[in-house]
């Protein structure tokens, strides 16, 4: 603010002259009239009535005038501000009314349109996959077996020939349920159902066991801490590795059509010999192997993708269930159901499988059947 203006000089306070004030009012009214939306009107409000507007600045000069001039200027500015505020309020009412009318038109609901019907749900793709896999095996005369997700450590590990210090028992992988002395774990695979089936059923045994399994993993695009496996177990007289291969090929063809499988040696305590089952890459069919111009993201140009584990049932597992290993032999396999869904239906992100968004389920409609 200016200091006291002892010798009143009208030039110094030009903004307070009548014609200047009239110009400010005219500019404000023109800006309000030009504003057609709440936001442009708001800008005009700040420019013409805000703290830094010409009228507000002029108002601040009043105090510097001698008494009579101060009274005149005060009245003039006061009147001008009143006029501007009134015009602003009137314009705001008009603009808001126009906006409301536009919105009502835009959001109009045509009640005469036909009802699109209720939105359809769909079984979850994992459930659909489990049904499909079960059907394949039931079609071959197998039975579907079930076991608990909270499992005895003995069945999850010991009866499957996991030695006491085996790394898979470590807390980092296995979710142990308190009290620790109860020796209960969230099952880390569906293989304990092998033992349960052998203890509960008459021989021969042909079962598949689909279900939830648990490992201490972080959720990301390729890992979920709660996932699904399908276990297969056959124990009969004269069963060999050839029966295992034939069964796996049939299973793979039922899932993926005409596709080749490959087995690679591996180790599992409960099967001997053991193998990893790979599927021919369903995207490049092996064409990307050794071809740097044609890389395949799905199989990292390996030509094969891992599907699960398998092997001939270790006689120690049969013996733990009281079965005569001279007469009976068998094979077992375990596949990831999420992986099967990823390969079969191109579901690239595992997180979609746990989020429960019905759009994911309906997007795979018909594919999992
Ligand atoms: N249980 C094994 C796993 O979770 C898979 C498997 C099942 C291997 C049956 C061999 C036989 O990795």
């Amino acid at each position: 603010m200016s200091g006291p203006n002892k010798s009143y000089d009208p030039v110094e306070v030009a903004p307070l002259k009548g014609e200047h004030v009239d110009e400010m009012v005219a500019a404000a009214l023109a800006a309000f009239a030009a504003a057609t939306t709440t936001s442009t009107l708001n800008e005009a409000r700040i420019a013409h009535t805000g703290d830094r507007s010409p009228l507000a600045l002029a108002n601040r000069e009043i105090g510097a005038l001698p008494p009579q001039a101060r009274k005149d200027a005060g009245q003039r500015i006061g009147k001008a501000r009143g006029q501007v505020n009134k015009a602003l309020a009137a314009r705001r009412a008009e603009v808001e009314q126009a906006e409301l009318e536009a919105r009502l038109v835009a959001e109009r609901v045509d009640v005469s349109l036909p009802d699109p019907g209720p939105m359809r749900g769909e079984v979850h793709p994992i459930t659909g996959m489990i049904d499909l896999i079960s059907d394949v095996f039931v079609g071959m005369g197998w039975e579907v077996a079930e076991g608990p997700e909270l499992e005895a450590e003995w069945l999850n590990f010991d009866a499957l020939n996991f030695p006491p210090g085996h790394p898979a028992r470590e807390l980092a992988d296995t979710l142990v349920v308190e009290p620790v002395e109860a020796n209960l774990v969230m099952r880390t695979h569906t293989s304990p159902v092998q033992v349960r089936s052998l203890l509960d059923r008459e021989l021969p045994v042909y079962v598949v066991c689909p279900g939830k399994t648990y490992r201490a993993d972080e959720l990301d695009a390729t890992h979920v801490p709660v996932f699904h496996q399908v276990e297969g177990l056959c124990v009969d007289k004269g069963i060999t590795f050839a029966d295992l291969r034939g069964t796996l090929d049939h299973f793979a063809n039922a899932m993926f059509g005409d596709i080749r499988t490959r087995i690679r040696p591996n180790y599992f305590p409960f099967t001997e010999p053991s193998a990893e089952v790979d599927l021919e890459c369903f995207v490049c069919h092996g064409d990307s192997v050794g071809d740097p111009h044609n890389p395949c993201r799905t199989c990292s140009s390996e030509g094969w993708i891992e599907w699960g584990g398998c092997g001939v049932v270790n006689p120690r597992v049969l013996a733990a269930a009281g079965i005569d290993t001279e007469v009976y032999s068998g094979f077992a396999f375990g596949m990831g159901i999420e992986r099967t869904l990823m390969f079969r239906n191109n579901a690239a992100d595992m997180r979609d499988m746990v989020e429960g968004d019905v759009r994911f389920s309906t997007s795979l409609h018909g594919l999992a059947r």
Side-chain angles (χ1 to χ4, degrees), residues 68-86:
Q68 183 51 46
R70 190 188 305 166
K71 192 172 162 233
D72 292 350
Q75 279 176 354
R76 207 159 36 239
I77 298 280
K79 208 174 129 221
R81 297 181 98 188
Q83 204 184 340
V84 167
N85 285 335
K86 221 174 120 197

Side-chain angles (χ1 to χ4, degrees), residues 160 162 188-192 194 213 215 227 229-232 268 270-271 274-276 308-312 331-335:
L160 290 166
F162 277 83
T188 59
H189 51 179
T190 42
S191 299
Q194 287 189 30
T213 50
R215 286 180 204 174
F227 55 105
Q229 288 188 333
V230 58
E231 193 83 9
F268 296 106
F270 40 96
T271 46
S274 304
E276 209 66 77
C310 68
V312 171
F331 65 76
F333 57 83
M335 307 303 173

Side-chain angles (χ1 to χ4, degrees), residues 209-265:
C209 163
K212 279 197 177 71
T213 50
Y214 299 79
R215 286 180 204 174
D217 260 333
E218 293 288 328
L219 176 66
D220 64 25
T222 53
H223 295 90
V224 273
V226 183
F227 55 105
H228 297 75
Q229 288 188 333
V230 58
E231 193 83 9
L233 173 71
C234 144
V235 176
D236 203 344
K237 290 177 183 160
I239 296 295
T240 71
F241 209 102
D243 299 305
L244 169 60
R245 281 236 62 180
T247 306
L248 288 174
D249 280 348
H250 179 75
F251 182 19
N253 290 342
M255 288 296 114
F256 308 104
D258 189 15
I259 201 171
R260 286 190 300 155
T261 60
R262 168 178 93 165
I263 54 169
R264 281 180 291 125

